[in-house]
Amino acid sequence: MKGLMQNNLAMMVLFSIVVLSAPIWANPIGANYPDLLQKFAIFGIFAIGYNLLFGLTGYLSFGHATFLGVGSYTAVWSFKLLSMNIIPAILLAIIVSGIFALIIGFLSLRRSGIYFSILTLAFAQMAYSLAYSVLTPITNGETGLQLTQQDPRYLDVLAGVVVEDGLPSTNLFGMLMKANGGYSGFYFAALILILSFYISLKIFRSPFGLKLKAIKSNQTRMKYTGFNTKPYLLTAFVISGMYAGLAGGLLASIDPLAGAERMQWTASGEVVLMTILGGSGTLVGPLLGAGVIKYFENIFSALNQAELIEVFSFMPEFLQNILVFICTPFVGEGWHLTLGAIFMLVVIFLPGGIIEGLQRVSGYIRRLVGFDKEQVNKESKEERA
Amino acid sequence: MTHILNITGVNKTFGGLHALSDVNLQIEKGETHAIIGPNGAGKSTLLNCCIGRLAPDSGSVTFNGKNMIGMEPHNINHAGMVRVFQTPEIFPELSLLDNVMIPALAKRDGVFKFNPFRSMIFEHKIRDEAMSTLADFSLDQYYDQHAGSISRGDKRRLELAMGLVQHPTLLLLDEPTAGMARHDTNRTIELLKSEKMQSMTKVIIEHDMHVVFSLADRISVLARGHIIATGTPEEIKNSPQVKEAYLGESDNE
Ligand SMILES: Nc1ncnc2c1ncn2[C@@H]1O[C@H](COP(=O)(O)OP(=O)(O)O)[C@@H](O)[C@H]1O
Ligand SMILES: [Mg+2]
């Protein structure tokens, strides 16, 4: 298995199969609807990109939602001004968020450690209040940026596309994103996810990626080894910002509106949680983290007191009351409370995240079937590297 | 010009402490120059002033005729002056092989290179070079272990390998054998004397007189921030000044 995973092609084939067959395996866990599957893919991309900064270099950014938001706004503007085709929207989202990342990264990377994190947080808060109020002409403030029938859509007009009535829909050269019950949107996001994962895999296994890992390990040493670490960090920052912009552009491609709440600090915090929960610095960990968080968010945030009473109805009434009383704060609006608790448990008991948990389990199983213990230890050590 | 490194009139103070006072030192091409002196004499500080970790208060440091003061550490490295640290500075989370491949990559890629689509698997040349350097230091059997997990002596040798793989014009070694067992020390001496390293210009800070006298072409003695003598090992051994300031002291230890 390990040897197979070292092979890029084998890894990509396996990964593609798992992603594209999601509608099948998500069925038994009750996650088989395009809205949720798209979220898995899009936030997976966001987390994969974030991991290229945080996982590889150790620089903890608290402001990546800014780039997600910028990507969404850019995409919606592209729908309004250029075309309902998602290709220009997504390309522009990547480029514009990349420019934002270049500026914010350049300024924030003048410091490291906690000061870097605070700087990114400060920039993110600035961006949020700009979007929420100051830049209302561009962002439409509180209401959020939406399509209107009067939008010029110059490219579409040039191409002779006519919108009969109502609002036009996002499409890929004519194929609507909401076609096939929304599965078109999912498969498009899934293909982009596969491409994003491939790029991340290549970076991880390149000399460039190795140098980023070395910066995380001992930046001072890197300087005396002959590397200018600043441009390395800035490049990683911009790439991860572009991934976030891509994710934001995809969100807008599936549902063409953009609001400031997408840039709020809780959204920045969420991608940090995804990455750490899954296993920061590992290839697939952040993706798992994104999936797990979005899956449980979907379940817990939909629950309410009435449903809890239903869930515990098999119990004697006084027990039922107690459990409902305890659980109520953790569901619905209180889902973040559950998330916080899960996160604390993982950080305390499984600092390597879900990936470490899986490795422990597979190591345990292998020992049970009589695999050489030493080899198992050695492999899990390598995996972490 | 035969002087590869030229240190003239260097001063460095920390608060009220004169760590270096008017230090003059010329390193000749090809020589192994030892710097000895009691703890706290300013030896490490002197090296720090050469490689850009500290800026001297006054004085000049030129390497190959180029001014080094104010230069960024990574540029000093590429100029050909490489430092091996007193406390091992390695990449503890990475494998030994990666630890040696990184300085080899620095040599090839320069201060910055963006090559995210090149695969490490195809870096045969760099890997072979790193592997053979590890083999020179008898570290090749642990090549895939984390550098943080090996013994202290091995870490110091690993750092030496990291410096050597860059083929520097001038290698600055800060107590390369400190904390090593006798047989480890002897192996390190053998390595430093080996053919590959013999032609390289080296500055070695060392406490162990056995190491100093078996390696050095010339010796400088640093005491309380002053160079009190420079000369051949014979001259240093017989200098009354040195005996008083340093050798005498260590005889009593
Ligand atoms: N960065 C620093 N800040 C303050 N004092 C320092 C610093 N580096 C060295 N010193 C002081 O300078 C003196 C010389 O130190 P050092 O060069 O490390 O001595 P040596 O290497 O000869 O043992 C010591 O007294 C040490 O405490
Ligand atoms: Mg010292």
Side-chain angles (χ1 to χ4, degrees), chain B residues 14 17 19 37-46 54 86 174-175 222:
Chain B
F14 296 112
L17 175 80
N39 259 329
K43 305 180 299 290
S44 299
T45 305
L46 183 59
L54 289 174
Q86 182 168 4
D174 199 345
E175 306 201 18
L222 195 63

Side-chain angles (χ1 to χ4, degrees), chain B residues 9-143:
Chain B
V10 165
N11 283 285
K12 180 75 198 172
T13 53
F14 296 112
L17 175 80
H18 280 263
L20 296 173
S21 309
D22 194 28
V23 170
N24 293 292
L25 187 64
Q26 277 78 39
I27 307 297
E28 283 167 22
K29 201 170 167 61
E31 77 168 331
T32 298
H33 196 117
I35 299 176
I36 61 174
N39 259 329
K43 305 180 299 290
S44 299
T45 305
L46 183 59
L47 292 199
N48 283 335
C49 288
C50 294
I51 52 132
R53 195 169 216 180
L54 289 174
D57 301 336
S58 64
S60 81
V61 176
T62 58
F63 174 67
N64 269 336
K66 267 201 293 188
N67 176 31
M68 289 290 122
I69 292 183
M71 244 217 256
E72 295 278 350
H74 54 261
N75 290 327
I76 294 180
N77 174 287
H78 283 283
M81 179 155 54
V82 170
R83 154 100 182 258
V84 173
F85 290 85
Q86 182 168 4
T87 44
E89 287 270 357
I90 53 171
F91 305 110
E93 289 85 3
L94 304 183
S95 72
L96 267 69
L97 184 62
D98 286 344
N99 266 267
V100 184
M101 280 172 85
I102 285 163
L105 283 170
K107 191 82 181 161
R108 187 195 70 190
D109 292 350
V111 294
F112 176 71
K113 182 159 187 169
F114 182 57
N115 48 2
F117 291 113
R118 206 185 161 96
S119 178
M120 278 311 286
I121 296 172
F122 299 115
E123 298 283 10
H124 299 293
K125 229 181 120 203
I126 299 274
R127 177 175 296 105
D128 291 347
E129 197 183 353
M131 239 0 210
S132 82
T133 310
L134 279 175
D136 290 343
F137 289 78
S138 321
L139 291 168
D140 50 333
Q141 71 268 37
Y142 317 120
Y143 78 98

Side-chain angles (χ1 to χ4, degrees), chain A residues 80-147:
Chain A
K80 288 166 85 72
L81 294 179
L82 299 176
S83 161
M84 290 307 291
N85 192 330
I86 57 177
I87 295 296
I90 286 175
L91 290 180
L92 283 170
I94 296 174
I95 294 168
V96 175
S97 56
I99 294 170
F100 270 75
L102 186 67
I103 297 166
I104 294 180
F106 179 80
L107 295 171
S108 304
L109 285 167
R110 303 178 75 86
R111 292 283 172 273
S112 61
I114 187 78
Y115 299 102
F116 167 81
S117 304
I118 299 288
L119 278 172
T120 54
L121 181 62
F123 279 117
Q125 281 308 92
M126 277 165 62
Y128 171 71
S129 29
L130 283 176
Y132 196 77
S133 52
V134 184
L135 291 180
T136 301
I138 298 177
T139 61
N140 203 21
E142 217 174 321
T143 325
L145 191 61
Q146 288 163 351
L147 302 181

Side-chain angles (χ1 to χ4, degrees), chain A residues 242-258:
Chain A
M242 289 164 87
Y243 266 81
L246 167 64
L250 280 170
L251 281 176
S253 299
I254 278 149
D255 187 8
L257 46 88

